[in-house]
mmCIF file of all heavy atoms in Angstrom:
data_model
loop_
_atom_site.group_PDB
_atom_site.id
_atom_site.type_symbol
_atom_site.label_atom_id
_atom_site.label_comp_id
_atom_site.label_asym_id
_atom_site.label_seq_id
_atom_site.Cartn_x
_atom_site.Cartn_y
_atom_site.Cartn_z
ATOM 1 N N PRO A 172 87.843 44.783 168.920
ATOM 2 C CA PRO A 172 88.096 45.257 167.486
ATOM 3 C C PRO A 172 87.697 46.678 167.477
ATOM 4 O O PRO A 172 86.701 47.207 168.099
ATOM 5 C CB PRO A 172 87.238 44.348 166.720
ATOM 6 C CG PRO A 172 86.741 43.168 167.668
ATOM 7 C CD PRO A 172 86.840 43.734 169.049
ATOM 8 N N LEU A 173 88.419 47.382 166.556
ATOM 9 C CA LEU A 173 88.189 48.902 166.287
ATOM 10 C C LEU A 173 86.753 49.041 165.804
ATOM 11 O O LEU A 173 86.103 50.023 166.243
ATOM 12 C CB LEU A 173 89.138 49.417 165.257
ATOM 13 C CG LEU A 173 89.092 50.840 164.913
ATOM 14 C CD1 LEU A 173 89.214 51.769 166.115
ATOM 15 C CD2 LEU A 173 90.165 51.179 163.939
ATOM 16 N N ILE A 174 86.241 48.118 164.980
ATOM 17 C CA ILE A 174 84.927 48.417 164.438
ATOM 18 C C ILE A 174 83.760 48.329 165.599
ATOM 19 O O ILE A 174 82.919 49.164 165.461
ATOM 20 C CB ILE A 174 84.564 47.284 163.430
ATOM 21 C CG1 ILE A 174 83.192 47.655 162.772
ATOM 22 C CG2 ILE A 174 84.430 45.957 163.999
ATOM 23 C CD1 ILE A 174 82.882 46.664 161.522
ATOM 24 N N ARG A 175 84.159 47.581 166.601
ATOM 25 C CA ARG A 175 83.127 47.581 167.776
ATOM 26 C C ARG A 175 83.221 48.866 168.541
ATOM 27 O O ARG A 175 82.219 49.391 168.973
ATOM 28 C CB ARG A 175 83.383 46.382 168.636
ATOM 29 C CG ARG A 175 82.379 46.157 169.671
ATOM 30 C CD ARG A 175 82.292 44.749 170.270
ATOM 31 N NE ARG A 175 82.105 43.719 169.311
ATOM 32 C CZ ARG A 175 80.795 43.367 168.947
ATOM 33 N NH1 ARG A 175 79.814 44.012 169.629
ATOM 34 N NH2 ARG A 175 80.622 42.400 168.060
ATOM 35 N N ALA A 176 84.414 49.388 168.834
ATOM 36 C CA ALA A 176 84.559 50.626 169.547
ATOM 37 C C ALA A 176 83.884 51.802 168.683
ATOM 38 O O ALA A 176 83.205 52.689 169.308
ATOM 39 C CB ALA A 176 86.001 50.905 169.743
ATOM 40 N N PHE A 177 84.027 51.754 167.529
ATOM 41 C CA PHE A 177 83.504 52.871 166.614
ATOM 42 C C PHE A 177 82.005 52.779 166.648
ATOM 43 O O PHE A 177 81.286 53.779 166.914
ATOM 44 C CB PHE A 177 83.922 52.525 165.171
ATOM 45 C CG PHE A 177 83.531 53.643 164.108
ATOM 46 C CD1 PHE A 177 83.345 54.905 164.541
ATOM 47 C CD2 PHE A 177 83.442 53.283 162.785
ATOM 48 C CE1 PHE A 177 83.121 55.863 163.526
ATOM 49 C CE2 PHE A 177 83.091 54.193 161.873
ATOM 50 C CZ PHE A 177 82.929 55.551 162.157
ATOM 51 N N ALA A 178 81.344 51.505 166.493
ATOM 52 C CA ALA A 178 79.876 51.410 166.580
ATOM 53 C C ALA A 178 79.493 51.848 167.893
ATOM 54 O O ALA A 178 78.335 52.492 168.053
ATOM 55 C CB ALA A 178 79.434 49.975 166.233
ATOM 56 N N ARG A 179 80.036 51.435 169.067
ATOM 57 C CA ARG A 179 79.681 51.776 170.402
ATOM 58 C C ARG A 179 79.622 53.276 170.647
ATOM 59 O O ARG A 179 78.839 53.863 171.222
ATOM 60 C CB ARG A 179 80.436 51.089 171.445
ATOM 61 C CG ARG A 179 80.108 49.632 171.542
ATOM 62 C CD ARG A 179 81.228 48.893 172.401
ATOM 63 N NE ARG A 179 81.073 49.404 173.745
ATOM 64 C CZ ARG A 179 80.995 48.588 174.898
ATOM 65 N NH1 ARG A 179 80.981 47.301 174.771
ATOM 66 N NH2 ARG A 179 80.966 49.137 176.170
ATOM 67 N N ALA A 180 80.743 53.932 170.119
ATOM 68 C CA ALA A 180 80.767 55.347 170.270
ATOM 69 C C ALA A 180 79.658 56.076 169.474
ATOM 70 O O ALA A 180 79.010 57.057 169.954
ATOM 71 C CB ALA A 180 82.109 56.013 169.785
ATOM 72 N N LEU A 181 79.371 55.561 168.166
ATOM 73 C CA LEU A 181 78.299 56.269 167.491
ATOM 74 C C LEU A 181 76.935 55.982 168.160
ATOM 75 O O LEU A 181 76.145 56.849 168.018
ATOM 76 C CB LEU A 181 78.207 55.564 166.107
ATOM 77 C CG LEU A 181 79.477 55.780 165.183
ATOM 78 C CD1 LEU A 181 79.414 55.069 163.878
ATOM 79 C CD2 LEU A 181 79.714 57.293 164.923
ATOM 80 N N GLU A 182 76.799 54.915 168.790
ATOM 81 C CA GLU A 182 75.574 54.680 169.556
ATOM 82 C C GLU A 182 75.473 55.805 170.637
ATOM 83 O O GLU A 182 74.176 56.084 171.040
ATOM 84 C CB GLU A 182 75.491 53.303 170.253
ATOM 85 C CG GLU A 182 75.248 52.245 169.233
ATOM 86 C CD GLU A 182 73.792 51.965 168.840
ATOM 87 O OE1 GLU A 182 73.163 51.313 169.504
ATOM 88 O OE2 GLU A 182 73.506 52.617 167.759
ATOM 89 N N LYS A 183 76.464 56.344 171.154
ATOM 90 C CA LYS A 183 76.319 57.380 172.191
ATOM 91 C C LYS A 183 76.194 58.810 171.731
ATOM 92 O O LYS A 183 75.875 59.728 172.410
ATOM 93 C CB LYS A 183 77.641 57.213 172.981
ATOM 94 C CG LYS A 183 77.711 56.104 173.917
ATOM 95 C CD LYS A 183 78.844 55.999 174.803
ATOM 96 C CE LYS A 183 78.878 54.911 175.843
ATOM 97 N NZ LYS A 183 80.083 54.815 176.692
ATOM 98 N N ALA A 184 76.449 58.891 170.369
ATOM 99 C CA ALA A 184 76.366 60.181 169.692
ATOM 100 C C ALA A 184 75.004 60.442 169.143
ATOM 101 O O ALA A 184 74.542 59.774 168.394
ATOM 102 C CB ALA A 184 77.458 60.342 168.651
#
Side-chain angles (χ1 to χ4, degrees):
L173 180 56
I174 188 172
R175 185 161 297 278
F177 187 28
R179 285 171 64 132
L181 292 174
E182 287 281 273
K183 290 188 173 169

